[in-house]
């Protein structure tokens, strides 16, 4: 495939690199960093529409920005859910009023979002959700009741887009609605962080106890939530995959250096694993470029997820393997206030165990490929 960057793209890349070098801190409050990005117009460059305080950028320029951001070592983004998931969904399905209300604050880095999809007992099976939204007597608000789980950044978010059941008599994917819910509702919304193997808590449980949401904040139409939700899932992969691979390459580089330093690279089995990881990462990049812009067909997002999730787990396994016995010891002594801390290799190994689960488990991705691409018989639901 002939994928190249034009002189204009390279000018854009140079501008992005220079701006990041001048402004990106090594560490800072992530919310403040979102506002810095927004003030310079760097949020929402891939929306396809300007006028919300964001720059306009071609697809190749979006790739250049994402790659330079990953290379710069800038702080992890806390606004990516609003920018890369909610915003494209509103541009595709939202009303003019919804776009005017919600897109400018996202572009400015002023409002952060989380995603209310997964539920206990349903997991990746979105059609099995039980969170319900009942229309109040005034006809102007919904009351949301139920529980969501594995909700990334819910403890920081101002808003949550929630897939709810608005038709109590409906089954599976029918009768669902895509609803925008404000998170600042004490007594009606409770967020409980979930402590992970890594000791951190990026994911959360969210409990809705009659939380209020306005009728005009239904995206699409009441009962049309499944179509909107499926559209959103298509936005989860794309340009961001290429930026993700820049981070993967940096992690692989650190593992290779450690293998050389510890002597593990002298083992031919370890060398074979490292070479295979390098080759697979190159293949993932070529596949991402091939499918950029939605050219890979209906199964492309699922294929991409299967490729990178398994690869990242294998990298985590090699990262601790090349450390030898030292991989079992933390970088600082244990204390009651800090039971354990992890170095980069240990964090990679433990956190990557979730890669094949979140964002749609491997089993779900294979089912999508089987049914929607290969045309195999649909999986039977609700059968033990």
């Amino acid at each position: 495939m002939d994928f190249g960057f034009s002189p204009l793209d390279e000018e854009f890349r140079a501008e992005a690199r220079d701006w990041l070098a001048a402004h990106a801190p090594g560490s800072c409050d992530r919310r403040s960093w979102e506002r810095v990005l927004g003030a310079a117009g760097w949020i929402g460059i891939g929306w396809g529409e300007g006028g919300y305080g964001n720059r306009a950028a071609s697809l190749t320029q979006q790739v250049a920005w994402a790659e330079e951001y990953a290379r710069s070592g800038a702080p992890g983004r806390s606004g990516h859910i609003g920018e890369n998931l909610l915003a494209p969904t509103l541009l595709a399905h939202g009303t003019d009023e919804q776009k005017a209300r919600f897109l400018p604050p996202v572009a400015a880095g002023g409002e952060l979002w989380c995603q209310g999809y997964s539920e206990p007992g349903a997991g990746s099976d979105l059609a099995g959700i039980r969170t319900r939204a009942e229309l109040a007597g005034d006809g102007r608000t919904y009351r949301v009741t139920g529980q969501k789980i594995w909700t990334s950044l819910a403890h920081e978010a101002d808003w949550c887009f929630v897939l709810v059941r608005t038709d109590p008599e409906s089954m599976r994917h029918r009768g669902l609605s895509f609803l925008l819910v404000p998170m600042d509702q004490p007594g009606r919304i409770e967020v409980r962080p979930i402590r992970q193997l890594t000791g951190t808590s990026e994911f959360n449980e969210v409990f809705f106890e009659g939380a209020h949401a306005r009728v005009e904040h239904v995206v699409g139409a009441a009962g049309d939530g499944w179509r909107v939700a499926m559209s959103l899932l298509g936005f989860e992969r794309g340009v961001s995959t290429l930026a993700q691979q820049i981070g993967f390459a940096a992690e692989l580089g650190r593992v290779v250096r450690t293998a050389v330093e510890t002597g593990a690279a002298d083992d031919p089995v370890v060398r074979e694993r490292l070479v295979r990881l390098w080759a697979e990462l190159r293949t993932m990049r070529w596949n991402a470029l091939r499918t950029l812009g939605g050219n890979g067909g209906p199964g492309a997002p699922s294929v991409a997820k299967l490729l990178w999730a398994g690869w990242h787990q294998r990298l985590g396994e090699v990262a601790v393997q090349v450390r030898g016995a030292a991989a079992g010891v933390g970088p600082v002594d244990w204390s009651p206030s800090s039971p354990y801390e992890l170095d980069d290799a240990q964090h990679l190994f433990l956190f990557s165990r979730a890669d094949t689960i979140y964002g749609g488990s491997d089993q779900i991705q294979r089912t999508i490929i089987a049914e929607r691409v290969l045309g195999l018989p649909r999986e039977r639901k609700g059968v033990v």
Side-chain angles (χ1 to χ4, degrees):
M1 176 181 179
D2 181 18
F3 181 90
F5 294 94
S6 70
L8 285 177
D9 295 335
E10 293 302 339
E11 289 180 15
F12 186 88
R13 180 188 295 277
E15 180 187 0
R17 183 186 302 122
D18 292 344
W19 187 90
L20 287 164
H23 294 86
S27 62
C28 73
D29 172 62
R30 294 199 302 175
R31 194 172 192 117
S32 298
W33 174 237
E34 289 296 320
R35 289 192 287 268
V36 172
L37 288 169
W42 290 113
I43 298 177
I45 65 173
W47 291 353
E49 289 187 18
Y52 301 107
N54 57 319
R55 301 170 184 238
S58 68
L59 189 60
T60 49
Q61 288 170 344
Q62 295 168 43
V63 173
W65 163 254
E67 290 182 338
E68 291 306 316
Y69 192 94
R71 289 192 181 102
S72 73
R77 296 288 309 282
S78 59
H80 63 281
I81 295 176
E83 177 185 10
N84 299 321
L85 298 184
L86 174 76
T89 303
L90 288 182
L91 290 169
H93 304 286
T95 64
D96 290 341
E97 291 77 13
Q98 289 170 344
K99 288 187 277 188
R101 163 59 185 87
F102 293 109
L103 294 185
V106 172
E111 288 184 347
L112 302 182
W113 286 78
C114 60
Q115 176 181 13
Y117 272 23
S118 296
E119 295 187 5
S124 297
D125 181 15
L126 291 183
I129 67 170
R130 292 178 292 181
T131 297
R132 66 184 187 275
E134 300 177 350
L135 193 61
D138 59 10
R140 295 180 294 179
T141 58
Y142 282 103
R143 303 288 178 85
V144 182
T145 302
Q147 180 186 355
K148 299 292 181 177
I149 197 167
W150 308 119
T151 309
S152 301
L153 304 178
H155 58 297
E156 300 180 13
D158 303 293
W159 288 80
C160 183
F161 51 87
V162 188
L163 196 60
V164 297
R165 192 167 297 281
T166 47
D167 180 356
E169 303 301 322
S170 64
M171 298 288 291
R172 302 297 300 165
H173 62 275
R174 298 178 179 84
L176 302 177
S177 298
F178 190 100
L179 189 59
L180 311 180
V181 181
M183 292 292 287
D184 186 15
Q185 299 191 49
R188 294 192 176 96
I189 297 180
E190 180 184 0
V191 177
R192 298 181 189 172
I194 300 172
R195 186 175 175 87
Q196 299 144 210
L197 283 172
T198 56
T200 55
S201 301
E202 291 90 350
F203 305 118
N204 302 269
E205 295 178 283
V206 181
F207 297 85
F208 299 93
E209 298 291 344
H212 293 174
R214 294 163 60 177
V215 167
E216 60 266 33
H217 291 167
V218 173
V219 179
D224 196 30
W226 182 256
R227 182 177 67 92
V228 177
M230 292 301 99
S231 174
L232 180 143
L233 291 178
F235 300 129
E236 282 197 289
R237 332 227 202 270
V239 169
S240 60
T241 301
L242 291 164
Q244 179 189 54
Q245 291 167 11
I246 298 293
F248 286 171
E251 290 178 332
L252 176 59
R254 288 194 291 270
V255 173
V256 170
R257 289 192 293 273
T258 300
V260 172
E261 293 167 0
T262 62
D266 297 334
D267 185 335
V269 175
V270 172
R271 289 202 304 274
E272 190 275 338
R273 293 190 73 180
L274 291 172
V275 170
R276 181 176 292 274
L277 286 167
W278 177 87
E280 290 172 343
L281 183 58
R282 297 297 299 173
T283 302
M284 283 193 288
R285 176 173 175 78
W286 293 328
N287 181 66
L289 292 172
R290 179 182 66 85
T291 60
L292 200 60
N295 297 319
S302 294
V303 171
K305 176 63 167 56
L306 285 171
L307 287 174
W308 73 254
W311 183 91
H312 204 219
Q313 280 191 351
R314 294 192 295 276
L315 178 66
E317 293 164 359
V318 176
V320 294
Q321 179 185 4
V322 301
R323 289 276 309 282
V329 181
V332 298
D333 291 338
W334 182 94
S335 70
S337 61
S338 179
Y340 63 88
E341 291 189 19
L342 305 173
D343 59 30
D344 289 343
Q346 293 164 334
H347 187 277
L348 170 60
F349 171 70
L350 291 175
F351 192 85
S352 64
R353 309 320 296 172
D355 287 342
T356 53
I357 301 173
Y358 71 77
S361 68
D362 277 11
Q363 293 84 350
I364 292 293
Q365 305 305 334
R366 291 190 177 100
T367 298
I368 291 172
I369 294 170
E371 296 178 356
R372 301 182 190 177
V373 180
L374 302 179
L376 297 178
R378 297 187 66 83
E379 181 183 29
R380 297 178 66 186
K381 306 292 185 182
V383 177
V384 179

